[in-house]
Every structure is written in structure tokens, then in C-alpha cells.
Amino acid sequence: MTSTKPPKSPRPSGPARIDYGRKTGRVGGNEASAVKGAPNARRDPAPVKVPVNDGAHLESKRGVASMHEASGWLAARGIDDLECITPDLAGVARGKMMPAKKFTANTSLALPSALFMHTISGEYPEESGEFRYSPGDGDLKLVPDLSTLCRVPWESDPTAQVICDLVDQNGVAVGYTPRNVLKRVMALYDAKGWKPVVAPEIEFYLVSKNVDPDYPLVPPIGRSGRQIQSGQSYSIGGVNEFDELIDDIYDYSDAQGLEIDTLIHEEGAAQLEINLRHGDPLELADQVFMFKRTIREAALGQDIYATFMAKPIQGQPGSAMHIHQSVVDKATGRNVFSNEDGSASDLFFAFLGGMQRYVPAALIMMAPYVNSYRRLTYGMAAPTNTAWGYDNRTTAFRVPTSDAAGRRVENRLPSSDTNPYLAIAASLACGYLGMVNNLTPEGPTDRTVNEDGVISLPRGLLEALAIFEAEKDFDTVFSPEFVGTYAGIKRGEHETFMQVISPWEREFLLLQV
């Protein structure tokens, strides 16, 4: 029987250093889409680097330049259905499915504004602070970004997907939606003649199916027939326990035009990490958004779950989404973190100063749930500080060993449960504020700083929320509209959490107090 699976992408033979900064002047992805559609600007579908008239777009796995090309692309693949999706504030894919022929007929698509104002549990919080609902719950228009058009390879019927932006009825970008928050930050860089470059690393766990949330999660059974154990960092054997799942992840990724740099087994039991190649922040956020869908679907196909919870299993390490960041000069393509003689520049240190000064206030965008703060505890590998150091993984902000062109800052604080658009926007915004305000960081450390019992970050969601709302500079980089909306949702989520009685309370309080 002939296989119908798409050809596999080349698989890495093992963990490898991120190829970051090797091509200084050129970043991956659609550079033209980096700053289009910032809030208060009209948003048109971003162009992509695909020849328009020679039919090359028909061979593209990801992205076309126009609706005319989209029509031919869909027809060539026999696509019947199309998913028009957009991330909500939690990073969940929302949208509409429609026949492909209606999509290419330029059908108007809309979603209610309240869809972007509910909690992760689907509840609508009470209005508070600056959080307000639209009086009429008016529609927001979906504007497809055709550079993201690709197949949905796990669907049995020929299906495609496209990520959409959101604009109001006047065509103005909606400032509190995740893609537009990131575009706003990128526009600030653009106004200074800078271009940020990022490379995310996403950790996640594979777990046995869990249909009753009262029961703890447990590692799945691998191909050996035994339950997976921890302590397998960088183990090829640990990855091979899930060969079929890994094959599906590579196949699905290749079909969507998504590029994996490396895949490794992490420290936790059945904890994996995928590294993505460096490039444009918006494109990389799109890729993380789509990778999460891809990995979940591949896992379900193997009858297990993939989870991006920050701390899914007690006693096991948490899952992070580390973000490598650098900034290039748009005119020259030179990494502005390095001087011409190869030494670290003033802008590099100012970026670090901004990270130290502002990241604690932005932490709620990088650690967005109650569970996120269970990861940020000392003695569990995750940083609990605002320190930085050269090749020091116990610091929040690590400067990996590199040449001058690849000089970068790795933010190790974000957890994998975060919305990638918001985490990248928050991290870049903190560095930007440091650069424009010429902030000076503390000196680097070469100590082990995550096991001394000191935690210099907010300890929980409400504390992080209070610091976030109090930071006035965030009104400028994110907009008051976003700050008020996001804070209201997080406050509502905490109230929902407080209604749940935990096993700890039943175990220690039931018969003793």
C-alpha cells in the first residue's frame, strides 16, 4: 500500500547550537511584514517574497502574495475547507472555518470583540480598573495574512489554514489583540532604524491521557513498553521512545513550511524541547503558535497528550520558552550589540539594563497563569532572579558564547504556557526601553544564583499583576487598551482559580484544623 504521508524533513542527529547571527543582515521569514499593521495604522495583507507571475507560488508550502495566487494555490491542492484562525490572549486558536471558494471570493469575516476578553476557562470577568467591554459587543474583522497560508496536514479532508489580524470596522488594527501588540513593539524598533531578531526554544511534556483533572498527570508508555523516567537530558534513546510521534511532528511541520532547528529530550520525564531558527519576531511567534497546534495533534494521533503547562507534574522540572534576542541595524544589517572591533556595545548593556529593570513588571506576560509561578521556585533549574551572566544558565538573562555577529541575550524566564506573541513583545519591549533610556545593568555573575533561596521576582499572579498595572512605561510600548484588558482577564482568572479546592487543602486541612 502506497503511503500518503508527505516526505519527511531531514532529522537532526542530536542537539546542536542554534545557528544564530551567522547571516547578519538577513533574518528569516517575511521581513516586509515586520511592522505593518501596528495599532492605529491600516492593515493590509503583508507581501511575501514569492514571484507573482511564474507559477512558483503553486509550489510554496507556506505563503502566497495575493488572493489571486491563493485561489490557484488552493485549487492545485484540492483544498475544500479553510480555517481562518487568530490567537486570543491565551494563545488559543479562534476563528471560522469556511469553504475555500468562499474565502477567495473575498467574503467578509468577523468575530465578536468579547471573544478576546474572556478567561482561559471561558468566563467573562467583571469590569474592573481599566477593563471594559464594548457596550454592544461589536464585531472585529478578520484580515488574512496570506504569508501564513498553509495546509492542515492532520485533517483527513484537504484543509488549509491562514492566520488573521483583527481590525475594527474602520480598518484600524485592534490594539489589545496579540499579533497587534507585537507589531506595535516592532514598530518602535523600526522607528529607531532597528530590527529585532529572535529564536524561541519551546519545552513541553508528553503525558498519558488524563480525562479526570482530579488525578495527577503521569508520563506515557514509550515504545519500550515502560513508563518514561526523568534524568534523560539530551538522550537520543529518550527521543527514540517516541519515534512515531517525532516522525509525525516532522512530517506535519514540513507540510506547513515550518522549520525545526533541533529537537532534544529535556531533564523531565518525557519532556522534549524544540528549537526554532532565528528570524523575524512576528514570523517566529506565528511558528510557535502553529507548532503548539501541530505537536498537540501529533500527540493525539499517538493516543497521548502533549502539554505546554509550565509545571504539569509535581517534582519534575517546569517547561520554559526561552527567547534568544538580538537587534540589527536596518541600514547595514550589523548586530548593534557589537562594536566594529567585536566588543560589546553600549546598546547591548542598555538592553540588558532594560531587561533587569522592566522584566519583573512584564512577568505576567511571560508567566500568565497561577501554575506558571510553580515553575519559578528555587532549586528546580528555572531562574528566580534578574541576574545576567556569560553562558550562565542559572541567570534570568544568559549571554551565550558567540562571535560578535551572533551576540545575543537569552531570556530564560518565560514559561511554555505563555502566548508567544505577548512573551516576545514583552521581552523586546523591556530591552527597547533599556536602549532608549540608556539604562545600565548590574555587573554579570558567574555564581549559581538560582539555588540560594532568594527570589527577586513576583511570587504569584496577583503580585505580578499589581506591578504590571503600575508600570506607566507599558502604556507607551503596549497601549493602555491592552494593559487594561489583559489585567482584567488575569484578575478574573485568579478569581476562578480561588473557587477550586486543591488536593493539598483536603490532605492537610480536612481533619487537622
Side-chain angles (χ1 to χ4, degrees):
M1 179 173 168
T2 303
S3 172
T4 59
K5 297 176 76 173
K8 293 180 170 57
S9 301
R11 294 183 56 181
S13 58
R17 169 183 175 274
I18 292 179
D19 175 20
Y20 197 111
R22 187 167 58 191
K23 300 178 181 177
T24 56
R26 178 183 179 273
V27 295
N30 178 14
E31 297 173 358
S33 68
V35 296
K36 284 184 178 290
N40 302 320
R42 292 193 179 274
R43 173 70 167 95
D44 297 317
V48 293
K49 297 179 178 177
V50 179
V52 176
N53 298 316
D54 63 0
H57 65 281
L58 296 177
E59 304 300 322
S60 172
K61 292 181 180 179
R62 183 176 181 80
V64 295
S66 67
M67 193 61 78
H68 174 72
E69 290 191 357
S71 180
W73 189 94
L74 294 167
R77 288 159 177 76
I79 299 295
D80 297 322
D81 300 313
L82 192 125
E83 299 175 353
C84 296
I85 59 175
T86 192
D88 69 5
L89 286 176
V92 175
R94 307 285 179 181
K96 294 184 175 181
M97 179 175 282
M98 62 192 306
K101 61 184 179 182
K102 288 198 69 175
F103 174 75
T104 54
N106 205 25
T107 301
S108 179
L109 297 171
L111 295 174
S113 61
L115 187 60
F116 298 89
M117 296 183 176
H118 65 60
T119 66
I120 189 66
S121 57
E123 298 175 327
Y124 292 90
E126 296 293 328
E127 293 184 339
S128 62
E130 299 300 318
F131 176 59
R132 295 290 183 273
Y133 294 101
S134 170
D137 190 16
D139 278 342
L140 305 178
K141 291 184 177 181
L142 289 165
V143 180
D145 183 341
L146 296 178
S147 70
T148 67
L149 179 66
C150 63
R151 287 181 52 214
V152 182
W154 51 83
E155 291 287 352
S156 56
D157 294 328
T159 304
Q161 61 189 330
V162 64
I163 300 176
C164 299
D165 288 306
L166 287 158
V167 301
D168 63 19
Q169 296 301 314
N170 297 316
V172 177
V174 180
Y176 56 81
T177 56
R179 258 182 141 234
N180 288 334
V181 172
L182 177 54
K183 288 180 181 179
R184 182 187 179 101
V185 173
M186 292 172 63
L188 295 173
Y189 276 86
D190 185 65
K192 294 290 185 181
W194 298 327
K195 170 74 175 178
V197 182
V198 302
E201 303 171 348
I202 315 117
E203 297 172 346
F204 60 96
Y205 274 90
L206 302 174
V207 297
S208 296
K209 277 192 170 180
N210 178 286
V211 296
D212 188 338
D214 278 342
Y215 285 89
L217 299 173
V218 296
I221 304 297
R223 68 171 187 170
S224 65
R226 305 183 66 181
Q227 193 172 63
I228 305 304
Q229 302 299 314
S230 59
Q232 299 195 54
S233 289
Y234 292 90
S235 165
I236 299 301
V239 172
N240 289 342
E241 286 281 353
F242 304 101
D243 260 350
E244 290 190 15
L245 170 61
I246 302 305
D247 284 346
D248 286 343
I249 291 174
Y250 278 107
D251 290 348
Y252 291 167
S253 298
D254 180 68
Q256 296 171 90
L258 304 175
E259 185 178 4
I260 296 173
D261 192 16
T262 59
L263 185 147
I264 64 170
H265 197 291
E266 267 290 352
E267 176 65 23
Q271 184 186 33
L272 304 180
E273 176 184 283
I274 283 180
N275 297 343
L276 306 183
R277 286 180 59 84
H278 65 281
D280 174 85
L282 182 63
E283 179 165 339
L284 268 297
D286 284 342
Q287 289 197 36
V288 175
F289 172 57
M290 298 184 81
F291 264 123
K292 283 188 172 184
R293 292 189 77 202
T294 298
I295 292 166
R296 288 192 191 99
E297 290 291 339
L300 286 172
Q302 300 296 324
D303 205 35
I304 59 177
Y305 289 160
T307 179
F308 296 87
M309 283 179 63
K311 188 77 167 180
I313 302 176
Q314 183 175 323
Q316 295 286 332
S319 290
M321 189 187 83
H322 301 152
I323 305 172
H324 291 249
Q325 310 157 98
S326 62
V327 181
V328 299
D329 183 283
K330 289 180 60 184
T332 65
R334 181 180 61 83
N335 186 342
V336 302
F337 285 174
S338 298
N339 295 316
E340 291 188 3
D341 64 1
S343 60
S345 68
D346 291 342
L347 285 175
F348 167 75
F349 290 110
F351 188 96
L352 279 167
M355 300 294 283
Q356 289 189 317
R357 162 67 178 80
Y358 289 101
V359 161
L363 188 64
I364 198 168
M365 295 173 68
M366 307 175 197
Y369 303 105
V370 173
N371 179 262
S372 309
Y373 297 85
R374 300 189 189 281
R375 168 181 165 260
L376 299 175
T377 57
Y378 54 81
M380 288 301 295
T384 60
N385 52 73
T386 58
W388 74 277
Y390 295 102
D391 202 21
N392 186 342
R393 284 184 168 83
T394 71
T395 62
F397 313 119
R398 169 178 170 254
V399 179
T401 302
S402 70
D403 57 17
R407 180 171 278 115
R408 60 195 185 274
V409 177
E410 178 191 13
N411 182 357
R412 297 178 60 80
L413 285 175
S415 47
S416 62
D417 58 359
T418 187
N419 181 320
Y421 301 91
L422 299 184
I424 292 172
S427 195
L428 291 176
C430 293
Y432 169 85
L433 288 169
M435 294 168 76
V436 297
N437 293 324
N438 196 29
L439 299 184
T440 302
E442 299 173 359
T445 181
D446 57 4
R447 297 188 300 109
T448 301
V449 290
N450 68 337
E451 296 180 352
D452 55 8
V454 176
I455 299 181
S456 51
L457 297 167
R459 292 307 314 272
L461 192 68
L462 283 187
E463 183 182 346
L465 175 58
I467 300 171
F468 173 72
E469 288 185 289
E471 182 50 71
K472 296 304 179 186
D473 283 341
F474 288 172
D475 287 346
T476 300
V477 293
F478 302 132
S479 84
E481 184 181 24
F482 167 73
V483 172
T485 300
Y486 192 70
I489 291 171
K490 292 298 135 184
R491 193 173 290 110
E493 287 176 347
H494 187 268
E495 291 303 314
T496 302
F497 170 78
M498 291 301 291
Q499 296 172 17
V500 178
I501 309 303
S502 70
W504 185 94
E505 292 163 278
R506 289 191 290 269
E507 180 174 353
F508 294 106
L509 304 182
L510 178 66
L511 300 177
Q512 298 193 72
V513 296

